[in-house]
Amino acid sequence: MIQTAAFYLFAALTIASAVLVITARNPVHSVLWLILAFFNAAGLMVLVGAEFIAMLLVIVYVGAVAVLFLFVVMMLDIDFASLRAGFVRNFPLGLLIALVLLAELVFGIGAYQAGKIELATGTADQVAPMAESNIAAIGQVLYGQYLFLFESAGIILLVAMVGAIVLTLRERKDTRPQDISHQIRRRPGDATRNVKPEVGQGVQL
């Protein structure tokens, strides 16, 4: 019973959050609703026993969205004084939302401990028994059967990262190089020059 109630709760909040992501006028609010949608989707994954996917949703997606939120805050022209005033004004609502999320987390953990939801029925000879969690099974597949492909993907990502750094830090030929030692040795008399230009002559640079 508790599993069914948790499923309908998480599913309804996920759909409502997804609708608010599209309908919200403020992009920052859209990102916050998207974080809520990912959080409730992770709760659904926990209910069906997919702890690894739930962990990926919280760590990867919510973490990436949080970084995106920071970029949005940095790029937008925001008055931080009014932002602090809005934070104080909306603190009770934020605390209420945090308590609701905490209650959902406790409710989801309790529903998971009561037993995952059976998505399909089958006979004993059709369903293979699992003596370990799906995280351990995924780890055995990744680092066992697909070890070479998994490490190859890591090497490709490493090469792409090194290539991006090399392209960013390459030496440009169309600019004058900076000689720091020459700038330090320069005397004030060599840097400035007092002249008395004639009327209408202008200044020589």
Side-chain angles (χ1 to χ4, degrees), residues 30-41:
S30 297
V31 173
L32 294 177
W33 288 118
L34 187 60
I35 292 175
L36 183 61
F38 283 143
F39 187 88
N40 287 279

Side-chain angles (χ1 to χ4, degrees), residues 105-124:
L105 182 62
V106 174
F107 186 60
I109 293 176
Y112 173 72
Q113 291 178 351
K116 63 179 183 295
I117 298 177
E118 298 294 338
L119 297 180
T121 59
T123 59

Side-chain angles (χ1 to χ4, degrees), residues 31-32 53 78 117 131-132 141 164 167 196 203:
V31 173
L32 294 177
I53 300 179
I78 296 178
I117 298 177
E132 56 191 9
V141 172
L167 291 176
K196 293 183 179 180
V203 179

Side-chain angles (χ1 to χ4, degrees), residues 22-197:
I22 302 173
T23 57
R25 295 177 179 269
N26 194 329
V28 179
H29 294 170
S30 297
V31 173
L32 294 177
W33 288 118
L34 187 60
I35 292 175
L36 183 61
F38 283 143
F39 187 88
N40 287 279
L44 290 174
M45 294 299 106
V46 170
L47 287 179
V48 298
E51 305 94 355
F52 183 74
I53 300 179
M55 180 182 64
L56 288 181
L57 279 172
V58 174
I59 296 177
V60 178
Y61 284 89
V62 175
V65 169
V67 174
L68 176 63
F69 171 72
L70 293 178
F71 276 106
V72 170
V73 170
M74 288 188 294
M75 287 187 296
L76 292 178
D77 188 12
I78 296 178
D79 187 5
F80 287 95
S82 61
L83 188 64
R84 294 191 196 96
F87 173 78
V88 175
R89 184 176 63 254
N90 297 323
F91 179 76
L93 178 61
L95 182 61
L96 177 62
I97 294 175
L99 293 177
V100 170
L101 291 177
L102 180 61
E104 285 186 2
L105 182 62
V106 174
F107 186 60
I109 293 176
Y112 173 72
Q113 291 178 351
K116 63 179 183 295
I117 298 177
E118 298 294 338
L119 297 180
T121 59
T123 59
D125 55 348
Q126 294 176 344
V127 181
M130 292 185 61
E132 56 191 9
S133 63
N134 59 355
I135 297 179
I138 292 175
Q140 290 180 359
V141 172
L142 283 180
Y143 297 103
Q145 183 178 358
Y146 298 101
L147 177 62
F148 178 74
L149 296 176
F150 186 75
E151 292 186 352
S152 300
I155 293 175
I156 292 172
L157 292 175
L158 177 62
V159 171
M161 181 181 67
V162 173
I165 295 174
V166 170
L167 291 176
T168 304
L169 299 179
R170 70 183 186 276
E171 183 179 357
R172 298 183 59 180
K173 302 297 184 181
D174 56 343
T175 59
R176 185 176 62 181
Q178 183 180 10
D179 191 353
I180 300 178
S181 61
H182 177 69
Q183 294 176 358
I184 294 175
R185 293 194 307 269
R186 186 175 62 176
R187 295 175 299 176
D190 300 333
T192 59
R193 185 179 60 175
N194 294 327
V195 296
K196 293 183 179 180

